[in-house]
Amino acid sequence: MNNISILYCLCLAGFILASCGGGLQSHKSLPKLGHRDIIDGDTIFHKVPDFNFTDQYGHEVSPKSLNGKAFILDYFFTSCPTICPRVKAQELRIFERYKDHPNLSIVSVSIDTKYDTKERLNNYATKLGVNNSNWHFVTGDKDMIYDNAVGFFHTAIENKDAPGGYDHDGKLVLIDKDRHIRGFCDGLFPEEVDDFFDDIENLLHEYK
Amino acid sequence: MKNSYLIFISMLLITLSCATQEYSQGRELYNYYCSSCHLESGQGLRSLYPPLAKSDYLAKYNETLPCIIRKGLEGQIIVNGKDYDMPMPAMPKISAFEITNIMNYINHNFGNDLPFVKFVDVKAKLEECK
């Protein structure tokens, strides 16, 4: 009996120490999220699918064009009546902090490939006060956008009965320069975005 | 005698507590129908969505607001000296009762001090709008 309680105390102390240790470290390393395979003893982590978009200035946005930058990716559309304006208000907080950062971009992918032309996206970005190519508002091949959604941890479904005609979510997904997903949050909730700032800082620390 | 005092005091307390939660129904409805674009405190979003907080447009067109909500709004407008030009979608299913509650909430919040509106007037207005 006595032994068990000593063991219990030791475990508890261990836990407390471990959690404090985590707190003392100023930069924790972020996990690589998603499905993983182990091949010949090597772990192969999930990578977001390849992509090739066009942004509000007509520039290509692809892993190649982002060349070594981490990025935050979300799905939206300009005429979205429900969650998008609230998510955009939160993304503006991130943009304001990192708009001139050499290692971080934001990529907002429109799922309304019919209506959201390059011109409309440009107009939307301008009205949002974004006139800087660190935040790309992009369009692209419809199948690529829809088929790849899951690989980006997003959902995108055309649905006549949904408000505005599309079902989607307000996630912000943090992707590193090797296309691994390193964190995400629900952009509808300011408190989640507060924590997401820590993830961003931790990831950018890897690039120092 | 003692009992009626108690009843009186509890009535008073109930009224007071209701009064401090001003237009709570309107707030719920506002959050459901409007806050996605005009945001929680009616501040709007940059040049995309105009503010309702201290909006001169809201003050000027307060009487037509039932129609704006029911039918939507399109074309360029100027709010507090800034241009806005994005369509606000119509809400064909929203009721006169809901509109009355929402209007009383926004008319008396976000720094606004606009008239109190009555259900009968909103209902009459809705029959007029095209």
Side-chain angles (χ1 to χ4, degrees):
Chain A
M1 195 56 201
N2 224 357
N3 271 349
I4 290 180
S5 44
I6 288 174
L7 204 68
Y8 178 77
C9 283
L10 275 179
C11 277
L12 199 69
F15 271 125
I16 291 171
L17 272 180
S19 56
C20 287
L24 286 175
Q25 262 175 17
S26 55
H27 291 284
K28 75 171 206 259
S29 107
L30 297 173
K32 293 180 177 140
L33 304 173
H35 180 80
R36 59 189 60 175
D37 284 319
I38 296 181
I39 296 174
D40 296 336
D42 287 332
T43 311
I44 313 292
F45 293 98
H46 171 73
K47 274 189 174 186
V48 299
D50 202 2
F51 54 90
N52 195 330
F53 303 121
T54 308
D55 74 6
Q56 73 270 34
Y57 307 111
H59 299 152
E60 170 186 312
V61 176
S62 64
K64 192 164 152 251
S65 82
L66 289 172
N67 174 34
K69 275 190 177 188
F71 57 103
I72 292 164
L73 188 134
D74 68 287
Y75 272 36
F76 86 115
F77 57 110
T78 63
S79 61
C80 160
T82 51
I83 60 174
C84 307
R86 287 171 58 198
V87 175
K88 287 286 161 284
Q90 292 304 315
E91 277 181 285
L92 274 170
R93 293 174 57 202
I94 299 175
F95 176 70
E96 291 304 339
R97 189 173 317 172
Y98 296 106
K99 60 184 166 193
D100 298 316
H101 201 285
N103 292 328
L104 187 75
S105 284
I106 305 179
V107 180
S108 290
V109 182
S110 168
I111 56 173
D112 186 350
T113 49
K114 236 180 300 168
Y115 187 70
D116 285 343
T117 56
K118 185 189 94 188
E119 288 72 27
R120 281 200 71 87
L121 292 169
N122 190 301
N123 190 265
Y124 186 90
T126 307
K127 283 184 174 163
L128 205 55
V130 177
N131 45 18
N132 162 315
S133 59
N134 236 1
W135 190 348
H136 307 274
F137 294 79
V138 304
T139 180
D141 178 66
K142 186 174 167 187
D143 288 338
M144 174 183 68
I145 290 171
Y146 282 77
D147 296 347
N148 285 346
V150 175
F152 284 112
F153 280 17
H154 279 291
T155 42
I157 301 161
E158 261 185 299
N159 176 0
K160 277 201 291 303
D161 299 326
Y166 300 90
D167 276 330
H168 69 118
D169 59 66
K171 262 204 245 66
L172 305 177
V173 180
L174 179 64
I175 301 162
D176 71 15
K177 58 182 171 142
D178 300 314
R179 278 165 48 203
H180 297 304
I181 296 182
R182 305 298 293 276
F184 62 87
C185 72
D186 190 334
L188 276 172
F189 302 106
E191 320 79 61
E192 283 205 22
V193 176
D194 293 345
D195 293 343
F196 194 54
F197 272 113
D198 293 341
D199 288 351
I200 298 172
E201 279 303 311
N202 283 326
L203 179 60
L204 291 177
H205 189 73
E206 289 180 11
Y207 298 156
K208 279 195 180 134
Chain B
M1 195 53 197
K2 226 178 187 173
N3 264 349
S4 55
Y5 263 132
L6 272 179
I7 290 172
F8 175 75
I9 288 175
S10 49
M11 291 294 269
L12 193 73
L13 281 176
I14 289 171
T15 333
L16 278 179
S17 68
C18 287
T20 49
Q21 289 219 344
E22 258 187 307
Y23 310 110
S24 57
Q25 273 220 36
R27 182 197 298 124
E28 292 289 314
L29 291 162
Y30 174 83
N31 286 339
Y32 181 74
Y33 283 109
C34 324
S35 73
S36 58
C37 295
H38 296 285
L39 302 187
E40 284 100 295
S41 326
Q43 71 269 41
L45 182 60
R46 301 282 173 102
S47 302
L48 281 173
Y49 301 100
L52 303 179
K54 299 188 178 155
S55 151
D56 58 357
Y57 191 99
L58 177 70
K60 189 165 167 207
Y61 296 100
N62 212 255
E63 273 177 34
T64 35
L65 186 55
C67 297
I68 295 181
I69 296 175
R70 178 68 76 72
K71 303 281 174 180
L73 191 63
E74 250 187 79
Q76 196 191 48
I77 59 168
I78 297 173
V79 182
N80 298 344
K82 265 176 81 179
D83 283 352
Y84 295 88
D85 189 3
M86 278 250 297
M88 165 167 147
M91 303 183 189
K93 289 195 191 128
I94 196 167
S95 72
F97 178 74
E98 291 174 308
I99 293 178
T100 312
N101 273 314
I102 291 174
M103 281 187 68
N104 280 323
Y105 175 65
I106 59 183
N107 278 1
H108 300 101
N109 273 285
F110 314 148
N112 294 335
D113 186 12
L114 294 166
F116 181 81
V117 295
K118 293 209 283 286
F119 173 74
V120 281
D121 298 335
V122 169
K123 197 160 176 271
K125 185 75 203 171
L126 282 174
E127 271 150 29
E128 276 174 34
C129 38
K130 284 172 204 84

